[in-house]
């Protein structure tokens, strides 16, 4: 699905956030585990085309037998990719349905009828249908994160990148959120970045551990745990 080779990024302050990262990310749910400062967000932002890498490559399958050069063909990547950033913020004074509609317009869903269908379908999918008219400021952390997933799924992406989504959620909301991700990963490839070991061992068939900008190991969670 996504092939990453020798990706590197050094910030202006001299920090080597990515020091030659190579990964093969399959369909389904892929866990990217690492402590704070490991380089997870740097990798996610690079894949989401929000930041440049210094070197290396990333190649995304386009679903039609071809590939997309992630580091160069940004428009094509953005059509195939959904992103829930770690610091996803919402406008507290608008309702879920209003803001999702707004994101849908930004995504280019201009025809009103189809847009309504997509927006309503997504709100139902993430179990926010009942609360769609409530202001986002009244949402719990889990509800906000599920709204973030609805936003990331706009435009029917083939890959969704989710950065530290369970930080700050209580256990019930965390389970609910992870189950939703697992459900989605049956149709869309998901990369879950997290510092919580159980997020990965519970749900991800394949994973990698990132530390100091380098991949320590990758494979199945059981193999990784054996190796540690
Ligand atoms: P993680 O998401 O795993 O916590 P990050 O990618 O956020 O890791 O950070 C990796 C390293 O790069 C850390 O040492 C962090 O302080 C540094 N870093 C991240 N973003 C920047 C930035 N914009 N400028 C300078 N250093 C940064
Ligand atoms: P949380 O409110 O923290 O999301 P709950 O288990 O109380 O957790 O909520 C489960 C679901 O019920 C929510 O995701 C939401 O869809 C719906 N819900 C929560 N609070 C309300 C509310 N005040 N009015 C209507 N629906 C609600």
């Amino acid at each position: 699905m996504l092939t990453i080779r020798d990706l590197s990024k050094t910030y202006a302050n001299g920090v080597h956030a990515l020091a030659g990262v190579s990964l093969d990310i399959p369909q389904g749910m892929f866990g990217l585990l690492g402590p704070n400062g490991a380089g997870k967000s740097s990798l996610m932002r690079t894949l989401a085309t929000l930041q440049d890498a210094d070197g290396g490559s990333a190649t995304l399958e386009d679903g039609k037998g071809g590939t997309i050069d992630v580091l160069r063909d940004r428009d094509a990547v953005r059509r195939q990719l959904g992103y829930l950033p770690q610091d996803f913020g919402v406008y507290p004074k608008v309702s879920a349905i209003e803001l999702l509609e707004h994101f849908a317009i930004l995504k280019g869903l201009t025809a009103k009828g189809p847009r309504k269908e997509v927006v309503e379908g997504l709100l139902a999918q993430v179990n926010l249908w009942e609360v769609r008219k409530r202001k986002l400021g009244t949402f719990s952390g889990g509800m906000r994160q599920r709204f973030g997933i609805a936003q990331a799924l706009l435009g029917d992406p083939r890959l969704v990148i989710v950065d530290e989504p369970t930080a700050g959620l209580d256990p019930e909301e965390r389970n609910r959120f992870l189950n939703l991700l697992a459900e989605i990963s049956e149709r869309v490839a998901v990369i879950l970045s997290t510092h919580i070991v159980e997020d990965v061992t519970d749900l991800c068939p394949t994973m990698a551990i990132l530390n100091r900008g380098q991949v320590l190991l990758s494979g199945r969670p059981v193999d990784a745990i054996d190796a540690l």
Side-chain angles (χ1 to χ4, degrees):
M1 177 79 205
L2 177 65
T3 308
I4 300 168
R5 289 292 174 269
D6 226 13
L7 210 59
S8 62
K9 174 71 183 180
T10 302
Y11 289 110
N13 59 3
V15 173
H16 299 297
L18 301 174
V21 170
S22 296
L23 285 170
D24 291 290
I25 296 175
Q27 289 287 352
M29 182 127 132
F30 184 86
L32 182 71
L33 183 65
N36 285 330
K40 302 183 300 296
S41 292
S42 297
L43 180 58
M44 302 293 96
R45 286 196 300 265
T46 305
L47 296 175
T49 76
L50 298 174
Q51 144 180 324
D52 287 322
D54 299 330
S57 68
T59 312
L60 181 66
E61 289 172 12
D62 70 0
K64 298 175 216 148
T67 57
I68 298 166
D69 182 340
V70 175
L71 303 185
R72 281 170 196 85
D73 200 352
R74 295 189 163 193
D75 290 341
V77 178
R78 287 173 189 165
R79 282 194 291 274
Q80 306 273 0
L81 183 123
Y83 179 48
L84 176 54
Q86 187 174 4
D87 51 4
F88 180 64
V90 292
Y91 301 93
K93 296 204 167 149
V94 298
S95 70
I97 193 159
E98 282 166 342
L99 187 56
L100 194 59
E101 172 120 29
H102 174 72
F103 281 132
I105 292 167
L106 292 180
K107 261 273 166 191
L109 286 154
T110 48
K112 200 167 175 191
R115 181 172 73 231
K116 185 165 184 277
E117 209 165 290
V118 167
V119 164
E120 292 183 351
L122 284 172
L123 287 168
Q125 240 182 83
V126 300
N127 295 312
L128 291 174
W129 178 251
E130 304 293 324
V131 294
R132 68 191 178 282
K133 292 180 183 163
R134 266 175 56 183
K135 288 189 169 54
L136 288 158
T138 70
F139 274 23
S140 67
M143 290 160 83
R144 272 202 296 274
Q145 289 299 68
R146 280 184 273 129
F147 178 80
I149 289 295
Q151 162 275 134
L153 286 173
L154 278 167
D156 253 334
R158 302 188 62 245
L159 172 66
V160 168
I161 292 178
V162 189
D163 197 359
E164 295 272 3
T166 60
L169 301 191
D170 67 35
E172 195 193 316
E173 281 281 29
R174 171 182 168 270
N175 283 335
R176 227 184 131 113
F177 182 82
L178 290 175
N179 287 333
L180 173 67
L181 273 191
E183 215 177 283
I184 287 164
S185 73
E186 289 170 17
R187 298 176 282 115
V188 182
V190 174
I191 303 178
L192 168 65
S193 147
T194 179
H195 66 274
I196 302 169
V197 178
E198 288 77 21
D199 284 358
V200 167
T201 51
D202 289 356
L203 275 161
C204 300
T206 52
M207 65 166 299
I209 296 177
L210 196 67
N211 191 37
R212 294 170 182 268
Q214 293 187 308
V215 177
L216 286 188
L217 52 87
S218 61
R220 296 181 305 162
V222 278
D223 300 333
I225 287 157
D226 282 350
L228 284 176

